[in-house]
């Protein structure tokens, strides 16, 4: 049933002047009993009717009439972790504005440089946040607070929260950050402390399970689209011109696939979810060869985690977040293509805009999304909910226990309509192996 943990019984009335009556044209408070069914298929509905079981459902996000904290006494903290992503500053701003203007919270702390900022030994000073010092930050990419990868000692981090009288922690990040939020929440629970911990899903890879999408993802493929357009111009500007664009996507190829659909001039999309061979009659190089014979140019978009099985030596080096550092598939492809076409007249351009894409400011779609995520996160925290993530599922804003979304990474379904759309757009074979 995806139940959200509660710190205790709400004892205070919300300062929000909302309604409990339908039809008065004022937004109504959300009740904890307001839930949305997870699986909307008719097949699942008929199965539930047959068995009589209660369907899996999610708690609807939004403001509660009864809240857990006295807003006048609340201290909130915000931390941003992991790699950069469009929209982080929008979330920081949205959380600060919601706490200050909706609930009258006066003390809001910014934690610098990710979870490092909760470890006093690192020497980073906590910063005071206010509407005045965050009001313009949404116009810029990156993170106003700074970020870092990797975790810190959970006990030390909770010590820091308690020492600063923090009542709620908003953590903006991806899979590793969310697992950290859960671990912090478990330590808080052991101490019988009353600190709410909230996750806000940030990753341009869009690989957080169960949810519609993470913020920053839409901007990522939006920013990548004109780069792909220009790469296409490079490819068509030469006889047998080939352009390779490498985009981020360690374990999931959503950016590469979505960018190819948004700018439908791509001829091949290579993603981590697919197996493909370079050599052989049905291999990638033969398909590329046939493409050049037909059209005299080709544009390839490859996700950073694609084709790792092609490397003779498997990478075992990990980054601070514990992720395997992948070998560079873009440079590898370029070398293999040059080798394959050594006796032919070809021109290859290789473009890796990864850090430009991830450090861009949020576009309009992500700006709307980040603000709404921030507001819903604040409403949930004020109600005393903890170890949950504010997110969108089936186009509805809901709260999900963090433990549910960190069980596995979301990946492209190669039998799904989305990937079929990519294949239709590129014209590439279903299989290259």
């Amino acid at each position: 049933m995806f139940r959200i943990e509660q710190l205790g019984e709400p004892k205070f009335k919300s300062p929000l002047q909302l309604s409990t009556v339908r039809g008065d044209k004022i937004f109504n408070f959300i009740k904890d009993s307001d839930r949305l069914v997870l699986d909307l298929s008719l097949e699942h509905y008929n199965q539930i009717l047959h068995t009589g079981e209660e369907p899996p459902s999610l708690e609807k996000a939004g403001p509660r009439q009864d809240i857990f904290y006295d807003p006048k006494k609340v201290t909130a903290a915000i931390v941003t972790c992991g790699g950069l992503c469009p929209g982080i500053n929008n979330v920081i701003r949205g959380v600060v504005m919601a706490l200050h203007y909706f609930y009258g919270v006066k003390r809001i702390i910014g934690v610098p440089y990710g979870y490092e900022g909760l470890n006093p030994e690192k020497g980073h000073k906590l910063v005071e946040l206010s509407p005045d010092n965050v009001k313009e930050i949404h116009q810029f990419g990156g993170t106003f607070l700074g970020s870092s990868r990797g975790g810190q000692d959970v006990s030390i981090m909770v010590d820091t929260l308690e020492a600063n009288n923090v009542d709620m922690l908003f953590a903006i990040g991806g899979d590793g950050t969310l697992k950290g939020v859960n671990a912090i929440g478990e330590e808080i629970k052991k101490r019988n402390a009353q600190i709410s911990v909230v996750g806000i899903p940030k990753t341009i890879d869009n690989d957080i399970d169960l949810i519609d999408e993470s913020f920053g993802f839409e901007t990522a493929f939006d920013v990548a689209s004109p780069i792909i357009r220009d790469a296409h111009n490079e490819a068509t500007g030469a006889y047998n011109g080939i352009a390779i664009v490498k985009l981020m996507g360690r374990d999931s190829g959503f950016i590469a696939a979505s960018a190819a659909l948004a700018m439908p001039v791509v001829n091949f999309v290579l993603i981590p979810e697919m197996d493909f061979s370079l050599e052989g009659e049905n291999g990638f190089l033969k398909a590329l060869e046939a493409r050049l014979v037909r059209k005299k140019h080709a544009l390839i978009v490859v996700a950073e985690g694609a084709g790792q099985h092609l490397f003779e030596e498997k990478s075992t080096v990990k980054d601070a977040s514990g992720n395997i550092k992948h070998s560079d598939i873009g440079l590898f492809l370029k070398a293999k293509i040059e080798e394959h076409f050594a006796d032919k007249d070809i021109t290859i351009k290789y473009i890796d805009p990864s850090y430009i894409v991830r450090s861009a400011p949020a576009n309009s779609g992500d700006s709307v999304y980040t603000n709404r995520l921030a507001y819903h996160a604040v409403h949930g925290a004020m109600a005393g909910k903890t170890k949950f993530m504010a997110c969108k599922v089936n186009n509805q804003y809901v709260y999900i226990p963090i433990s549910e979304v960190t069980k596995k990474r979301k990946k492209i379904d190669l039998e799904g309509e989305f990937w079929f759309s990519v294949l239709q757009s590129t014209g590439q074979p279903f299989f290259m192996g």
Side-chain angles (χ1 to χ4, degrees), residues 130-180:
S130 68
D132 281 344
N133 65 8
V134 302
K135 64 183 179 182
E136 304 291 344
I137 64 173
H138 62 291
Q139 300 182 53
F140 305 95
T143 165
F144 176 72
L145 293 174
S147 186
S148 67
R149 290 190 182 276
Q152 301 294 319
D153 185 283
V154 174
S155 182
I156 290 174
M157 290 195 288
V158 177
D159 287 344
T160 302
L161 294 176
E162 291 188 320
N164 288 275
N165 300 310
V166 171
D167 298 294
M168 53 186 69
L169 173 67
F170 297 91
I172 304 166
D175 183 72
T177 303
L178 296 173
K179 287 176 179 174

Side-chain angles (χ1 to χ4, degrees), residues 1-4 19-22 27-38 54-65 385 396-400:
M1 286 297 292
F2 301 101
R3 293 292 180 191
I4 306 297
S19 177
T20 57
V21 179
R22 295 286 178 190
F27 186 77
N28 289 335
F29 284 112
I30 304 298
K31 298 175 183 176
D32 285 353
S33 57
D34 292 339
R35 301 184 68 86
L36 299 168
V37 175
L38 177 62
E54 187 173 351
S57 62
L58 305 169
E59 191 173 307
K60 194 172 181 181
R64 269 54 177 175
Q65 186 173 23
K385 300 178 188 300
Q396 298 285 333
Y397 287 89
V398 296
Y399 299 140
I400 299 185

